[in-house]
């Protein structure tokens, strides 16, 4: 019988799921995905995580609990660094330890370390370690990895074309309406903005109003890097660098009507990045900016009210800006 490998639908899921799913399926394993985030996932996660953890980490614990009794292994790598001289959040680095201390009686976990801070020369060694949970055949592992990389590149291209990575697949729903020709950039960590339940359906809410949505993952990374490279000091958090570079690009090119930044309460990285993004876009770029900070206690009605007021303001501005004198 094929080994069952459980992949929790949280954190790096929205960036890397197609890669790891393909890799393990090519090696002959069954990949089991936790259910989409729902109230049970959140409640279970909150109950089994330390209070200080951010909402995405609590949700992640809920997904692990969902998989716990159905699989032979849980995929839970120790993601330290994906790019040279850059780091992921410390909570990602300590995730295997945090989860195993918080949840008892887990099946064995695949906690191989991914650390490309110094270079990628050990890439294949890391890949073999991941594959060794299923087979000891290096040729099969290399073949599975090559296939997985192709699928991953295809996934990234689809997102750049404007598709949203929901449930590890795509959906395209990005039509600009005749009635409301508004484009809004939804910014934040991928696991915040693409998790329908965790984000309270933010992207869907905007689409329902006929608003076109752009996310950082749809941007050209080389342009983002060009902007991020102009910062006085290198931003060494990978997610922070992406968000800041994107904000600087929008502030310069001004091809959107506003920005909604979705942040998690208690996120140390966001507390710096959201402030810098706001400074670059609202203050320097004169662009409407709305910050929504969420945790498990956030009420959806309050978020809806703020979002509606923000959209009204943008639409008013669009309708009237051509009637206003440039001198006010
Ligand atoms: S970057 Fe922020 S939101 Fe993401 S895991 Fe770390 S603390 Fe949580």
């Amino acid at each position: 019988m094929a080994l069952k490998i459980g992949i929790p639908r949280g954190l790096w899921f929205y960036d890397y799921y197609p890669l790891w799913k393909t890799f393990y399926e090519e090696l002959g394993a069954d990949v089991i995905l936790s259910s989409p985030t729902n109230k049970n996932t959140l409640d279970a996660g909150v109950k089994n995580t330390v209070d200080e953890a951010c909402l995405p980490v609590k949700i992640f614990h809920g997904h692990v609990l969902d998989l716990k009794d159905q699989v032979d292994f849980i995929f839970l790598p120790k993601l330290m660094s994906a790019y040279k001289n850059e780091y992921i959040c410390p909570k990602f680095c300590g995730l295997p330890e945090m989860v195993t201390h918080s949840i008892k009686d887990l099946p064995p976990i695949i906690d191989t370390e991914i650390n490309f801070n110094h270079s990628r020369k050990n890439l294949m060694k890391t890949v073999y370690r991941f594959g060794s949970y299923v087979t000891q055949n290096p040729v099969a592992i290399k073949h599975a990895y090559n296939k997985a990389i192709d699928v991953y590149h295809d996934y990234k291209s689809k997102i750049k074309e404007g598709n949203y990575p929901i449930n590890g697949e795509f959906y395209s729903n990005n039509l600009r309406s005749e009635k409301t020709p508004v484009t809004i950039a939804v910014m934040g960590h991928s696991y915040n903005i693409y998790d329908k339940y965790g984000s309270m359906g933010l992207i869907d809410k905007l689409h329902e109003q006929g608003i076109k949505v752009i996310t950082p993952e749809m941007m050209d990374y080389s342009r983002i890097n060009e902007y991020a490279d102009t910062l006085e000091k290198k931003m060494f958090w990978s997610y922070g660098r992406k968000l800041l570079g994107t904000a600087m690009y929008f502030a310069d090119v001004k091809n959107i009507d506003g920005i909604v930044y979705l942040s998690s309460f208690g996120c140390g990285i966001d507390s710096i990045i959201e402030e810098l993004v706001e400074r670059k876009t609202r203050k320097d770029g004169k662009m409407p900016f709305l910050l929504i900070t969420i945790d498990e206690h956030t009420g959806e009605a309050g978020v809806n009210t703020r979002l509606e007021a923000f959209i009204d303001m943008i639409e008013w501005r669009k309708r009237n800006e051509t009637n206003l004198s440039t001198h006010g």
Side-chain angles (χ1 to χ4, degrees):
M1 227 170 69
L3 273 182
K4 288 188 187 148
I5 296 185
I7 298 194
R9 201 187 286 259
L11 298 179
W12 28 255
F13 165 81
Y14 297 94
D15 292 304
Y16 296 111
Y17 171 65
L19 188 151
W20 293 112
K21 175 185 191 299
T22 310
F23 178 71
Y24 282 119
E25 284 184 348
E26 283 292 309
L27 291 177
D30 280 345
V31 170
I32 314 286
L33 190 53
S34 55
S35 311
T37 310
N38 54 47
K39 188 170 182 318
N40 292 340
T41 328
L42 178 61
D43 290 349
V46 168
K47 223 165 115 191
N48 287 278
T49 318
V50 289
D51 284 348
E52 309 77 60
C54 58
L55 184 65
V57 166
K58 289 177 180 165
I59 289 177
F60 188 88
H61 279 67
H63 285 289
V64 172
L65 282 155
D66 184 38
L67 291 168
K68 178 175 162 283
D69 298 322
Q70 337 173 28
V71 296
D72 300 307
F73 286 100
I74 292 188
F75 182 74
L76 225 171
K78 192 176 178 64
L79 183 50
M80 307 285 287
S81 164
Y83 301 102
K84 200 169 172 198
N85 297 332
E86 290 183 24
Y87 288 97
I88 313 287
C89 159
K91 286 182 183 140
F92 273 70
C93 310
L95 200 61
E97 289 81 6
M98 200 193 292
V99 170
T100 46
H101 278 95
S102 306
I103 304 175
K104 299 290 162 236
D105 304 323
L106 281 176
I109 59 171
I110 299 177
D111 58 353
T112 302
E113 181 173 316
I114 301 174
N115 191 346
F116 301 133
N117 179 31
H118 296 303
S119 82
R120 288 186 162 244
K121 74 173 189 284
N122 288 330
L123 171 71
M124 280 321 292
K125 262 194 201 154
T126 304
V127 171
Y128 289 130
R129 269 186 220 124
F130 277 111
S132 66
Y133 287 87
V134 184
T135 175
Q136 300 302 317
N137 180 344
V139 178
I141 293 174
K142 178 112 195 323
H143 173 81
Y145 177 68
N146 288 342
K147 182 81 199 292
I149 284 291
D150 287 348
V151 170
Y152 173 70
H153 285 149
D154 190 46
Y155 176 68
K156 290 281 167 188
S157 320
K158 291 248 177 16
I159 294 172
K160 285 214 174 69
E161 288 162 13
N163 300 289
Y164 295 91
I166 305 290
N167 301 337
E169 291 158 350
F170 319 106
Y171 80 92
S172 188
N173 184 7
N174 211 358
L175 299 176
R176 184 189 281 260
S177 137
E178 292 287 311
K179 192 175 116 246
T180 312
V182 170
T183 301
I184 288 183
V186 172
M187 297 189 56
H189 303 277
S190 54
Y191 41 86
N192 277 337
I193 63 178
Y194 299 127
D195 184 326
K196 277 198 189 206
Y197 188 84
S199 70
M200 298 180 185
L202 174 61
I203 292 179
D204 286 350
K205 284 185 185 20
L206 293 169
H207 280 153
E208 280 158 19
Q209 308 267 343
I211 289 170
K212 180 176 174 178
V213 173
I214 293 183
T215 63
E217 286 69 34
M218 292 174 192
M219 307 300 298
D220 177 351
Y221 286 169
S222 55
R223 287 307 303 277
I224 291 179
N225 277 329
E226 273 171 32
Y227 281 91
D229 284 344
T230 64
L231 288 165
E232 272 172 41
K233 230 174 147 191
K234 181 176 163 77
M235 168 56 65
F236 53 83
W237 301 113
S238 292
Y239 275 111
R241 181 177 166 83
K242 180 164 79 177
L243 293 172
L244 209 46
T246 305
M248 290 163 81
Y249 167 82
F250 285 139
D252 183 23
V253 178
K254 297 192 174 29
N255 57 350
I256 54 167
D257 300 299
I259 290 181
V260 178
Y261 192 107
L262 189 64
S263 160
S264 298
F265 186 77
C267 171
I269 295 180
D270 265 352
S271 65
I272 300 165
I273 300 299
E274 71 198 21
E275 169 67 31
L276 291 172
V277 166
E278 181 171 3
R279 201 178 295 168
K280 298 281 176 204
T281 54
R282 187 172 73 78
K283 295 184 184 143
D284 300 348
K286 308 278 178 262
M287 199 168 271
F289 178 90
L290 174 68
L291 171 67
I292 299 177
T293 305
I294 48 170
D295 67 6
E296 62 272 28
H297 307 297
T298 306
E300 188 165 355
V303 170
N304 288 347
T305 308
R306 294 184 63 214
L307 199 58
E308 278 162 24
F310 184 69
I311 295 166
D312 283 349
M313 182 268 289
I314 289 179
E315 288 179 341
W316 185 92
R317 193 173 143 139
K318 265 187 105 68
R319 273 197 310 273
N320 294 290
E321 63 188 356
T322 48
N323 300 328
L324 290 176
S325 148
T326 49
H327 303 293

